[in-house]
Amino acid sequence: MSGLEFATLRDQVAALRTKTISATELLELTIARIEKFDDKVNAVVVRDFDRARAAAKQADAALARGEYAPLLGVPVAVKESFNVAGLPTTWGFPDAEGWQPAEDAALVTRVKAAGGVVIGKTNVPRALHDWQSYNDIYGTTNNPWDLTRSPGGSSGGSSAALAAGYVSLALGSDIGGSLRVPAHFCGIYAHKPSRTLLPGRGNTPPRTPALPAPQDLAVVGPMTRSAADLTLATLLLAGPDEVEAVAYKLVLPPPRSAEFDDFRVLVIDTHPLLPTSTVIRDGFDRIARGLEKAGAAVARHSALLPDLTLTANTYLTLLMSQFGADAPVDTYRALQAAVADIPPNSDRPEDVIRRAFVAGHGDWIRADRVRMVLADKWRRLFDEFDVVLCPITPTPAFPHDHSDMDTRTIDIDGTTHPYNYHLVWASIATLLGLPSTATPIGRSPEGLPYGMQIIGPYLEDHTTLRFAELIEQEFGGFSPPPGFV
């Protein structure tokens, strides 16, 4: 069993099929690692080991009969926000502690149907609204690379579980970088799929009906330790919700290219609203030079690139108006009075956020119209380029900071910037529903991993996933954090 802790998903599947290891043995290896390391990491906050052991025994019986399923016997971790029948779904809300849904989320159903063994649920921030993962019910999740730092959020428990060698596949979700930021901070892989590619039903706040209607902006997706595993998991879980599948099926186009020498790449490492740290810029320079050497056509600028400030502010308007819809009446009215003093032409993100929180339906419609114009501009850009490479956040993982979110800051090369500006790089793919694959590309001088996002055309997820595979082959990928080998 030695070495399978950090084996790829594909290698674990192969080991199970060849009976190099049994599903029960692989599960016990997973449980042993959680029991050894999770007191200090705190990633798997809801443990379902009894039912997992029963599922592993059933997988062993199926393997003995020669049966096949893509994940048969593989341990899988699930983000706490996904419904799993018999386990609590709280989203970190103290008043939801102990609440249990009646049925599994759609993605959990697909994992189980593929033979995956759910071992438990991973930690999240309260309401999923942070790039850290802590709450009053389950406490704080730490980054395996540096326990004093954030593993990212809101899928930080899943990224930490992967980096610590607990599982080879975990589920997450993303509306503000919640798949991509944890991957970036923990040195793993994640795929934010094209909107509606994977069904989000059941990734739902506690006591909320799990309906098949897709949310605006939000998506669900897989997290792994290798790019090829990410492709495998994405394609396995993709497809319309069963309610919609009565009318259509998924047929994705193939990747635009198979090798670097056929890819047209636009590299962007600066944003008009937020600087990028030196370590991240240096990493992008190294990748750009390496891609050119490998035969890719690489550009660092393009007149076709849509306005990134307009993109970020449109995204912030649509995103924050969702949060404002659930605000208590007295809070909403107080904010309405406060935003009256903001100059109507101010496009500072902090002013856009405050206005958007109390935006009316007409404001949302106008922002959505801007989104449609931007989507057309991005389609035109992708006539000239196959992928766009850009940062996920401007720095590697930052130290834990549980102060008031409104007063927090980002330290970028010694200068502070508003904490919510973390959203600007996430906004590009999220606003337009584009696929974005997060891949590790380097280490900081302190030894912290960092990554980049590979953005591609809508519904051309194969293209970004294939590019991530090539990046892994050419530049390397995940390596275990010291102290967890």
Side-chain angles (χ1 to χ4, degrees), residues 454-474:
I454 305 161
I455 300 175
Y458 180 59
L459 290 177
E460 295 193 44
D461 295 63
H462 271 300
T463 292
T464 65
L465 289 164
R466 176 57 185 163
F467 196 86
E469 292 175 14
L470 295 172
I471 290 287
E472 182 178 34
Q473 294 166 18
E474 183 72 20

Side-chain angles (χ1 to χ4, degrees), residues 148-197:
T148 69
R149 295 177 184 263
S150 168
S154 60
S155 307
S158 287
S159 64
L162 285 157
Y166 300 167
V167 291
S168 60
L169 172 63
L171 300 184
S173 61
D174 191 310
I175 194 172
S178 289
L179 281 161
R180 292 162 284 172
V181 174
H184 166 60
F185 282 1
C186 289
I188 60 142
Y189 293 82
H191 185 60
K192 187 210 84 66
S194 295
R195 198 174 77 86
T196 75
L197 183 65

Side-chain angles (χ1 to χ4, degrees), residues 32-69:
R33 285 192 67 80
I34 294 171
E35 291 177 341
K36 179 179 180 180
F37 291 112
D38 217 39
D39 281 350
K40 59 182 180 181
V41 177
N42 194 38
V44 182
V45 293
V46 179
R47 301 180 180 184
D48 200 19
F49 294 166
D50 289 343
R51 292 197 301 181
R53 287 184 168 111
K57 288 181 181 178
Q58 291 176 351
D60 281 330
L63 288 163
R65 294 191 298 269
E67 296 179 10
Y68 167 77

Side-chain angles (χ1 to χ4, degrees), residues 7-10 12 71 74-82 107 111 122-124 133 151-163 166-174 177-193 198 219-235 237 392 436-440 465 478:
T8 65
L9 171 61
R10 289 159 297 130
Q12 287 187 354
L71 301 177
V74 175
V76 180
V78 175
K79 184 177 181 178
E80 203 270 358
S81 59
F82 286 82
L107 234 59
V111 164
T122 59
N123 206 18
V124 296
S133 293
S154 60
S155 307
S158 287
S159 64
L162 285 157
Y166 300 167
V167 291
S168 60
L169 172 63
L171 300 184
S173 61
D174 191 310
S178 289
L179 281 161
R180 292 162 284 172
V181 174
H184 166 60
F185 282 1
C186 289
I188 60 142
Y189 293 82
H191 185 60
K192 187 210 84 66
L198 275 67
V219 297
V220 295
M223 309 174 79
T224 64
R225 286 193 298 261
S226 89
D229 285 352
L230 198 62
T231 300
L232 183 159
T234 300
L235 299 182
L237 299 172
I392 296 171
S436 175
T437 304
T439 178
L465 289 164
F478 172 81

Side-chain angles (χ1 to χ4, degrees), residues 4 47 71 103 105 113 117 131 155 171 173 192 212 238 258 269-270 273 276 326 338 380 408 414 417-418 457:
L4 282 176
R47 301 180 180 184
L71 301 177
E103 61 183 17
V117 175
W131 299 281
S155 307
L171 300 184
S173 61
K192 187 210 84 66
D269 62 5
T270 59
L273 293 175
T276 306
D326 296 319
R380 295 173 189 274
R408 292 181 200 164
H417 301 267

Side-chain angles (χ1 to χ4, degrees), residues 283-303:
F284 271 75
D285 286 341
R286 175 175 49 83
I287 293 294
R289 292 194 304 270
L291 289 172
E292 289 175 333
K293 185 177 179 180
V298 178
R300 301 300 295 265
H301 306 280
S302 174

Side-chain angles (χ1 to χ4, degrees), residues 87-103:
L87 298 181
T89 297
T90 69
W91 288 42
F93 292 116
D95 61 358
E97 186 171 6
W99 181 82
Q100 295 183 2
E103 61 183 17

